[in-house]
Amino acid sequence: MLQPPGADSAGEFGRIDRYLKPLAAGFPGALGLTDDAAVFGIPPDRELVITTDALVAGVHFLPDDPPADIAAKLLRVNLSDLAAMAAEPLAYSLVTSLPTDIGDGWLAAFAAGLAEDQKRYGIHLMGGDSVSTPGPVTLSVTAFGLVPRGQALRRGTAGAGDLVFVSGTIGDAVLGLRVLQGKLNAADPDPLIERYRRPQPRLSLVPTLRRFATAGLDVSDGLVADLAHLCEVSGYAATINADRVPLSTATRAAVTADPTLLATALTGGDDYEIVFTVKPEDREALLASGADVTEIGRLSPDGATGTVTVLDGTGAAMPLTARGWTHF
Amino acid sequence: MLQPPGADSAGEFGRIDRYLKPLAAGFPGALGLTDDAAVFGIPPDRELVITTDALVAGVHFLPDDPPADIAAKLLRVNLSDLAAMAAEPLAYSLVTSLPTDIGDGWLAAFAAGLAEDQKRYGIHLMGGDSVSTPGPVTLSVTAFGLVPRGQALRRGTAGAGDLVFVSGTIGDAVLGLRVLQGKLNAADPDPLIERYRRPQPRLSLVPTLRRFATAGLDVSDGLVADLAHLCEVSGYAATINADRVPLSTATRAAVTADPTLLATALTGGDDYEIVFTVKPEDREALLASGADVTEIGRLSPDGATGTVTVLDGTGAAMPLTARGWTHF
């Protein structure tokens, strides 16, 4: 493609070659990144699951965040979407829009972060594009996963009376962000910051989801908002108990010190846990499976479609919206 | 994902819904854009071909270019890559990084441009992401195509003595850009500008490529540079005759008025034609097929791998590099 005279696309190709080509070595369909496209087949009993998430410096991460953390976040938010669809990771493509003055050190650390997560999650680079920009670092990943035909987990397939479960713990990431922003003085800040910087895609939950889940999605916008998405597409309302929402030790300590942080935890987002629904008759088998999941509520055909009611310890509805406390 | 308070992601979702969701109506695997990912299978006798190209305002297009032209360019540069791999278009995903102050009029015109080309090329939106940016409009498309197993056209599979063909005409787009930049006063500027703004992916050439081509790629960096890419991966050198390179009436007129523009045409890029190689014994059948292609040269095992020699009308090598004239 035509570049302005200053763009030095020959030099750019050289840097991309050096740092990104090695990441494609493990996926034959990448064709070594020598061609215009990647080429691969999939087994006839499988479907492809394809998801894309983009991150912009100053919007989704801080410009001086460590490049390896940015790489981890970029890959993992996409892997979380694959997990939420009950898919296994296959490969990913990467688009980098980088300022021309970005240093080799940044690129090397970014590529090293990708390489580490490729190994951790068994995924490989298979293509993409690298362009220069006069704006902020802009990154996007399209992740490809495989799922047995007909077994992709959807949002709109929950049933009336299904129980609501969530994996792991909720609220750590948003409190970690508050700490980084200087807005929260937490007693135990490190695990919170780590959860914000390094989401943990729940790929280990995929067999459990395939066996038990009737619908689900990952918690990126916030537990209440994402459960509301599920309810809206499935055509139900949900009620959850705030006391049953699993909190980490660090988040529980923060909420004990400042109870208003409970609403922050339930609505903050960036958790990358999976919220999903299960038929009541499968409850015991799911709990006996040993999966790290917690029952937090139930769907109902009553109530306005797409609404989530959060009950406090006394059984009263908390004045909570998808964005936090309601202030009258 | 967490957004800064000013990002108004709820409003952003609303706009995306309004303008982009209708574009996904024709592809069941898009799941109506309600889920975290697209899901689809492919026939067992087919392979997927996947390519990604990104465009940045101020780098790859002018910020005040008509939004429908930007949409057309974004889709078509990707469709050109599919054509170059001898694949048929299936679907695409779209990542938009847009300034928060971009108007609904821009979005509507952009979506209308996508809709028009979806109809023209039989392709549908199947997913993606939409984020806000403090920087310039940044767009990327990942296009998905299908090809019979083992029939994807590669760059590195040409043979010694293979003939070099190119589709359509070369040089129009770069001269169109020169006109837009005020650097060229062409006698017949409109077809040149149109070629620059609206690339024509050579999808109609796919059956011809599957039947005859031994290797190929699309001409985006420039005819000489892209043929050099093919030579480098295939392990040969190439010689082409400048007089045989097909030029449109408008470009021929410009070159007649200023012969130095011949080098510009051969090296400028953005042609989105296909340069490909053919076994000598297939030459007659290809020419008899009626495909809009022209023989321009030949590969040779002699000469430095990856080099392209361009001969002028007298048979002398033109002092030409992949970037234009060599100046001593």
Side-chain angles (χ1 to χ4, degrees):
Chain A
M1 195 159 307
L2 295 172
Q3 296 274 341
D8 184 19
S9 62
E12 191 60 27
F13 289 151
R15 299 211 304 178
I16 299 305
D17 270 15
R18 192 155 66 247
Y19 294 113
L20 297 184
K21 269 200 179 171
L23 299 175
F27 189 72
L31 309 179
L33 302 187
T34 58
D35 281 75
D36 286 318
V39 181
F40 60 90
I42 63 172
D45 61 345
R46 289 287 188 279
E47 288 179 304
L48 266 180
V49 175
I50 302 177
T51 183
T52 301
D53 273 305
L55 303 182
V56 179
V59 181
H60 305 98
F61 59 89
L62 308 174
D64 58 354
D65 277 349
D69 283 351
I70 299 167
K73 186 152 205 166
L74 179 65
L75 260 183
R76 294 177 186 192
V77 297
N78 280 284
L79 292 171
S80 178
D81 282 331
L82 293 185
M85 302 290 284
E88 284 141 9
L90 175 68
Y92 71 99
S93 72
L94 169 69
V95 178
T96 62
S97 307
L98 301 177
T100 48
D101 62 355
I102 204 145
D104 275 20
W106 192 96
L107 257 182
F110 178 72
L114 291 175
E116 193 184 318
D117 267 11
Q118 289 195 180
K119 199 174 292 181
R120 187 187 310 267
Y121 298 109
I123 196 166
H124 298 278
L125 181 65
M126 60 143 221
D129 198 11
S130 300
V131 295
S132 61
T133 179
V137 171
T138 302
L139 304 162
S140 74
V141 155
T142 299
F144 298 77
L146 292 177
V147 68
R149 274 190 186 267
Q151 290 194 34
L153 189 61
R154 305 278 308 272
R155 297 182 180 190
T157 45
D162 280 0
L163 308 177
V164 178
F165 280 77
V166 70
S167 64
T169 60
I170 292 294
D172 301 325
V174 65
L175 297 189
L177 176 62
R178 296 291 165 93
V179 171
L180 287 172
Q181 291 171 331
K183 296 176 182 170
L184 174 64
N185 189 9
D188 187 12
D190 291 349
L192 303 176
I193 293 170
E194 176 71 9
R195 273 300 291 278
Y196 173 69
R197 286 206 164 137
R198 300 243 168 187
Q200 302 288 330
R202 298 306 182 193
L203 291 162
S204 62
L205 206 63
V206 166
T208 301
L209 295 172
R210 287 189 190 162
R211 188 167 160 210
F212 294 108
T214 56
L217 74 167
D218 70 335
V219 182
S220 54
D221 294 337
L223 177 63
V224 174
D226 285 309
L227 180 54
H229 294 322
L230 184 153
C231 287
E232 180 157 1
V233 189
S234 285
Y236 297 110
T239 301
I240 64 173
N241 295 89
D243 283 359
R244 297 169 79 176
V245 174
L247 303 180
S248 69
T249 306
T251 289
R252 184 160 301 282
V255 167
T256 301
D258 175 2
T260 70
L261 291 175
L262 179 59
T264 306
L266 297 180
T267 58
D270 262 3
D271 298 295
Y272 299 103
E273 299 292 352
I274 313 284
V275 59
F276 61 103
T277 50
V278 174
K279 287 187 203 304
E281 58 265 35
D282 288 336
R283 177 179 181 275
E284 294 308 318
L286 169 56
L287 292 174
S289 73
D292 178 20
V293 299
T294 305
E295 184 184 343
I296 59 170
R298 180 186 285 263
L299 295 195
S300 164
D302 308 323
T305 290
T307 59
V308 175
T309 303
V310 184
L311 303 180
D312 66 17
T314 72
M318 294 170 66
L320 208 60
T321 71
R323 299 270 139 212
W325 294 107
T326 305
H327 298 285
F328 296 103
Chain B
M1 193 159 305
L2 296 172
Q3 297 274 341
D8 184 20
S9 61
E12 190 61 27
F13 289 151
R15 298 211 304 178
I16 299 306
D17 269 15
R18 192 154 65 247
Y19 294 114
L20 297 184
K21 269 199 179 172
L23 300 175
F27 189 72
L31 309 181
L33 303 188
T34 58
D35 280 76
D36 286 318
V39 182
F40 59 90
I42 63 172
D45 61 344
R46 290 286 187 280
E47 289 179 304
L48 267 179
V49 175
I50 301 176
T51 182
T52 301
D53 272 305
L55 302 181
V56 180
V59 180
H60 305 99
F61 60 89
L62 307 175
D64 57 355
D65 277 350
D69 283 351
I70 299 167
K73 187 153 203 165
L74 179 64
L75 261 183
R76 294 178 186 193
V77 297
N78 281 284
L79 292 171
S80 179
D81 282 331
L82 292 185
M85 302 291 283
E88 284 141 11
L90 175 68
Y92 70 99
S93 71
L94 169 69
V95 178
T96 61
S97 307
L98 301 177
T100 48
D101 62 356
I102 205 145
D104 275 19
W106 193 96
L107 257 181
F110 178 72
L114 292 175
E116 192 183 320
D117 267 11
Q118 288 195 179
K119 199 174 292 182
R120 188 188 309 268
Y121 299 109
I123 195 167
H124 298 279
L125 181 65
M126 59 144 223
D129 198 10
S130 299
V131 296
S132 60
T133 178
V137 171
T138 302
L139 304 161
S140 74
V141 155
T142 299
F144 298 76
L146 292 177
V147 68
R149 274 191 186 267
Q151 289 194 35
L153 190 60
R154 304 278 311 272
R155 297 182 179 190
T157 45
D162 280 1
L163 307 177
V164 178
F165 281 77
V166 71
S167 65
T169 60
I170 292 294
D172 301 324
V174 66
L175 297 189
L177 176 61
R178 296 290 165 93
V179 170
L180 288 173
Q181 291 171 330
K183 295 177 182 170
L184 174 64
N185 189 8
D188 187 11
D190 290 348
L192 304 176
I193 292 170
E194 176 71 8
R195 274 300 290 278
Y196 173 69
R197 287 206 164 138
R198 299 244 167 185
Q200 303 288 330
R202 298 306 182 193
L203 290 162
S204 61
L205 206 63
V206 165
T208 303
L209 295 172
R210 287 189 189 160
R211 186 166 163 212
F212 295 108
T214 57
L217 74 167
D218 69 335
V219 182
S220 53
D221 294 336
L223 177 63
V224 173
D226 285 310
L227 181 55
H229 294 324
L230 184 153
C231 287
E232 179 156 3
V233 190
S234 285
Y236 298 109
T239 301
I240 64 173
N241 295 88
D243 283 0
R244 297 168 78 175
V245 174
L247 303 181
S248 69
T249 307
T251 289
R252 185 160 301 282
V255 168
T256 301
D258 175 2
T260 70
L261 291 175
L262 180 58
T264 306
L266 297 180
T267 59
D270 262 3
D271 298 295
Y272 300 103
E273 299 293 352
I274 313 283
V275 59
F276 62 103
T277 52
V278 174
K279 288 186 201 305
E281 58 265 37
D282 288 336
R283 176 179 183 275
E284 293 309 317
L286 170 56
L287 292 174
S289 74
D292 178 20
V293 299
T294 305
E295 182 184 345
I296 60 171
R298 181 185 286 263
L299 296 195
S300 163
D302 308 323
T305 290
T307 59
V308 174
T309 303
V310 184
L311 303 179
D312 67 18
T314 71
M318 293 169 68
L320 209 60
T321 71
R323 298 271 138 212
W325 294 108
T326 306
H327 298 285
F328 296 103

